[in-house]
Amino acid sequence: VYAAQGASMQLLNTTLCLNAAGAAGGAVYAAEGSMAALQACSLSNNTAAGGSGGAVAAVRCAVLAMSDTALTGNAAGVSGGAL
């Protein structure tokens, strides 16, 4: 899931599993100035092989809000297995 620069996105009761990115944000990438909200989600076994944030990469985003969200088994090649 990609939140473009300045965009807003919300995930509610969503499962993101076994996603992969060659760079950052295996499941979710929140670009600069974007707003991303995840509520009651499950992000598991996602990978960012060449970057950071196996589950979620928030690159200078304005707001990243997460509640009741599970991050399990995610991995990244550089840093931040989950975030």
Side-chain angles (χ1 to χ4, degrees):
V1 179
Y2 178 74
Q5 185 173 357
S8 296
M9 71 117 186
Q10 181 178 14
L11 298 176
L12 177 61
N13 296 322
T14 302
T15 297
L16 298 172
C17 181
L18 297 172
N19 296 286
V28 175
Y29 185 95
E32 183 175 349
S34 67
M35 296 188 299
L38 290 83
Q39 182 178 359
C41 295
S42 173
L43 284 69
S44 62
N45 301 310
N46 300 290
T47 59
S52 302
V56 178
V59 182
R60 294 182 296 278
C61 71
V63 175
L64 174 62
M66 298 174 68
S67 65
D68 299 321
T69 295
L71 305 172
T72 57
N74 299 287
V78 177
S79 63
L83 295 173

